[in-house]
Amino acid sequence: MEKRIRVLVAKPGLDGHDRGAKVVARALRDAGFEVIYTGLRQTPEQIVEAALQEDVAVIALSLLSGAHNHLFPRIVELCRQKDMSDVLIVGGGVIPDTDIPGLKAAGVAEVFTPGTTTSAIIEFIQTNVK
Amino acid sequence: MNIVEQVLAGSKRALARAITAVENEYDEAVEIMQQLYPHTGRAHVIGITGPPGAGKSTLTDKLTKEYRRQGKTVGIIAVDPTSPFSGGAILGDRIRMNELTLDEGVFIRSMGTRGSLGGLSRKTAEAVKIMDAAGKDIVFIETVGVGQSEVDVIKAADTTIVVLVPGLGDDIQAIKAGILEIADIFAINKADREGVERLNTEIEMMLELNQTRVDWRPPVKRTVASLGEGITELLVAVEEHISYLQKSDQLSMRRTKRTKNELMALLDEQIGRYILKNITSSGEFTAVVAAVERRERDPYSVVANLLRQVLR
Ligand code: B12
Ligand SMILES: Nc1nc2c(ncn2[C@@H]2O[C@H](COP(=O)(O)OP(=O)(O)OP(=O)(O)O)[C@@H](O)[C@H]2O)c(=O)[nH]1
Ligand SMILES: [Mg+2]
């Protein structure tokens, strides 16, 4: 059995917009990934713990509410604390361009805003996953 | 500490990685299983199966919470289908179990079927063993939403709960043949819906007609998993089944049968691999294929010949 790349698609915080997350989840499945989808309203602690138990290579965060500057770095930090720094963390959703450098500096590998093609997302993950 | 020692010491990271190693058949997988095996056989394994959307995950969530109240630790393996086209999968059972994520006494792992057709994945039984060795008192296996022939769960579980819902109409006739016969316990979930009595009667009638197991008649329990109703009663039925298994020697009989099946499956796998490596990858084999293709030789005597060579 060959290795499958496992991805956790997660929606942190109270944001109820889940179309983007579902679109991304489906696209990743169709590209051969094993996607664990945990649904809405996850705390950073829940997301990182689920990622640990599922032994995923990628955490994919979707957020359209505006709370990304708080939640994304928190998730990166929790991964560090749990010795999961090898996990690739990507994010997407409604995120102002001006916030992206700060998120990357905090450890988010890439941020995908509305209008991104799913093939760009897939390609990024395939080239950057450890 | 190596990964096995870490699993035995309760590391969740190591447990997660051990399952990955086995699922992906990494080189170290065999050694991990060899070393964990002596520590297995303690957990009670409960299979939860039934049609898609019946409430298997919700029920597993509620049963787990009840076991946690009793102080027992729980492992959960939730299987969802892998797409035969892309090889990818969306594993969504955790959505119904989110409240368990941060419970230190619970470990949940999602698995794709990866081409298996029996309702589990080929490595589910091994994942159960790893959780067992890690000290979980109870291990749940939630199968994919099954139709009628995906009955692999009984090979891995000590107690199998078949979850049905009212309103499937005549569907029960169709699924009767397969999954109904593997039930140790029936749960009529979504009992808040219309048609509970009818479904209950149908199951009872079917049990009347199907008296193969005289000493244990599968009880029929009603639940509303989303509201947590009927959960304690269902759990009582599980406990009764466990004590029946122990008293009747069924438990050891089932486990002996399982051990035998596992040994045969491993042999099958290894022999298959040996043959693949030593016969089918040779240039000679390519020539044989061509000969069969041209009808110069027939596949049956070719296989008989090859087998004779291998077993020499
Ligand atoms: C549809 C929609 C809704 C629907 C949501 C339905 C649902 N179940 O998802 C409804 C009507 C319910 C809704 C409600 C609200 N909405 Co609204 N909504 C939108 C809208 C119009 C489109 C979002 C959408 O679904 N796009 C389609 C998907 C496919 O695109 P996407 O999510 O952007 O995903 C793409 C990329 O971003 C990226 N991506 C996304 N996630 C991820 C994750 C990863 C890992 C990766 C790699 C990529 C990635 O890839 C995708 C494909 O390109 C946006 C405006 C907009 N144009 O974005 C506002 C918008 C998001 N909503 C907004 C607001 C304010 C609200 C409400 C608070 C309104 C209110 N006052 O009640 C509520 C809150 C709902 C809640 N509980 O959180 C604001 C958010 C403002 C902000 N961030 O500062 C927006 C931006 C509108 C605006 N301009 O003000 N909304
Ligand atoms: N009305 C009602 N709805 C329920 C009940 N139990 C579960 N549900 C709902 O049924 C839906 C499916 O529940 P799940 O637990 O995901 O079902 P499942 O059998 O695990 O589904 P698959 O894994 O996809 O086959 C969810 O929306 C639940 O909230 C119940 O007793 N009554
Ligand atoms: Mg489920």
Side-chain angles (χ1 to χ4, degrees):
Chain A
M1 185 63 55
E2 95 259 36
K3 182 179 163 168
R4 305 275 156 99
I5 299 173
R6 286 165 69 85
V7 182
L8 179 74
V9 171
K11 292 240 8 118
L14 302 174
D15 177 25
H17 296 89
D18 60 358
R19 283 191 199 161
K22 284 180 174 164
V23 166
V24 170
R26 242 170 269 139
L28 292 175
R29 177 199 57 195
D30 294 342
F33 293 81
E34 270 184 7
V35 179
I36 294 102
Y37 182 58
T38 48
L40 294 171
R41 281 179 269 282
Q42 301 298 294
T43 64
E45 286 76 9
Q46 280 176 312
I47 290 169
V48 175
E49 181 61 32
L52 182 147
Q53 293 179 10
E54 299 289 354
D55 197 20
V56 295
V58 185
I59 300 180
L61 302 164
S62 179
L63 200 54
L64 283 73
S65 73
H68 47 268
N69 283 335
H70 166 63
L71 292 168
F72 286 8
R74 173 88 186 120
I75 288 161
V76 176
E77 175 54 28
L78 284 170
C79 280
R80 273 200 198 114
Q81 284 173 19
K82 295 210 178 205
D83 196 21
M84 291 164 61
S85 300
D86 54 336
V87 176
L88 180 73
I89 302 180
V90 295
V94 176
I95 293 166
D97 289 344
T98 46
D99 288 351
I100 294 177
L103 293 174
K104 285 193 177 172
V108 179
E110 191 53 274
V111 176
F112 298 89
T113 50
T116 320
T117 62
T118 49
S119 47
I121 298 170
I122 290 160
E123 204 188 308
F124 181 86
I125 294 180
Q126 278 167 345
T127 26
N128 290 283
V129 72
K130 267 149 249 165
Chain B
M1 270 201 278
N2 68 23
I3 184 163
V4 168
E5 289 162 345
Q6 287 173 1
V7 170
L8 296 175
S11 159
K12 288 199 279 190
R13 191 91 205 278
L15 172 51
R17 295 219 146 154
I19 294 175
T20 304
V22 166
E23 194 177 27
N24 290 344
E25 299 185 331
Y26 292 162
D27 292 340
E28 64 268 29
V30 172
E31 203 180 324
I32 292 174
M33 289 312 295
Q34 281 170 348
Q35 292 178 22
L36 287 177
Y37 193 79
H39 304 275
T40 61
R42 284 184 287 224
H44 191 78
V45 185
I46 303 176
I48 310 269
T49 190
K56 299 179 293 296
S57 300
T58 315
L59 211 53
T60 304
D61 175 69
K62 293 300 191 311
L63 288 168
T64 298
K65 284 173 181 157
E66 191 59 37
Y67 273 125
R68 292 297 294 139
R69 269 190 283 276
Q70 299 177 8
K72 296 193 168 128
T73 55
V74 179
I76 299 171
I77 296 163
V79 188
D80 269 327
T82 294
S83 157
F85 304 106
S86 71
I90 294 186
L91 312 175
D93 292 314
R94 284 189 92 100
I95 297 175
R96 318 276 172 224
M97 308 182 192
N98 274 320
E99 287 174 21
L100 302 173
T101 303
L102 295 178
D103 184 331
E104 280 301 311
V106 179
F107 188 99
I108 307 172
R109 182 61 173 249
S110 312
M111 297 179 96
T113 50
R114 297 194 182 182
S116 248
L117 299 175
L120 303 181
S121 86
R122 219 155 48 80
K123 298 294 172 181
T124 301
E126 261 102 340
V128 169
K129 287 207 182 74
I130 299 172
M131 290 194 180
D132 181 356
K136 299 287 175 258
D137 299 315
I138 305 288
V139 178
F140 283 103
I141 306 172
E142 179 189 338
T143 72
V144 299
V146 296
Q148 41 183 313
S149 56
E150 302 91 338
V151 296
D152 276 0
V153 65
I154 47 163
K155 293 184 201 152
D158 299 315
T159 300
T160 299
I161 303 177
V162 170
V163 186
L164 295 172
V165 287
L168 286 178
D170 293 334
D171 287 4
I172 191 168
Q173 299 305 327
I175 53 184
K176 190 168 71 181
I179 60 167
L180 294 199
E181 280 164 23
I182 65 174
D184 295 310
I185 296 166
F186 286 98
I188 301 181
N189 190 40
K190 309 202 183 183
D192 51 333
R193 289 199 182 163
E194 213 136 312
V196 178
E197 292 304 333
R198 180 172 160 212
L199 176 57
N200 204 331
T201 313
E202 277 175 346
I203 297 170
E204 294 290 351
M205 272 168 53
M206 188 208 75
L207 288 172
E208 285 301 327
L209 294 171
N210 213 343
Q211 291 276 15
T212 42
R213 284 194 273 171
V214 275
D215 45 352
W216 172 262
R217 187 189 165 95
V220 184
K221 299 289 165 188
R222 300 178 184 190
T223 57
V224 185
S226 49
L227 300 175
E229 286 171 18
I231 303 301
T232 14
E233 291 80 357
L234 183 57
L235 216 66
V236 168
V238 173
E239 293 307 315
E240 280 167 6
H241 187 247
I242 293 176
S243 59
Y244 154 75
L245 286 175
Q246 285 162 348
K247 271 192 226 122
S248 65
D249 288 341
Q250 275 285 328
L251 190 60
S252 61
M253 272 170 60
R254 283 189 189 200
R255 288 189 172 181
T256 305
K257 195 169 157 194
R258 186 182 310 160
T259 307
K260 189 174 150 197
N261 282 338
E262 282 168 2
L263 282 175
M264 294 200 330
L266 266 179
L267 261 173
D268 195 43
E269 196 182 300
Q270 295 300 322
I271 292 173
R273 223 180 260 170
Y274 179 83
I275 288 176
L276 277 179
K277 204 169 116 214
N278 290 278
I279 301 184
T280 54
S281 56
S282 71
E284 196 193 335
F285 188 69
T286 321
V288 167
V289 172
V292 172
E293 179 72 38
R294 287 194 301 271
R295 302 295 185 280
E296 284 162 13
R297 303 184 62 184
D298 72 276
Y300 310 97
S301 43
V302 163
V303 166
N305 263 333
L306 287 173
L307 211 65
R308 229 170 288 136
Q309 284 174 31
V310 178
L311 297 177
R312 211 177 28 211

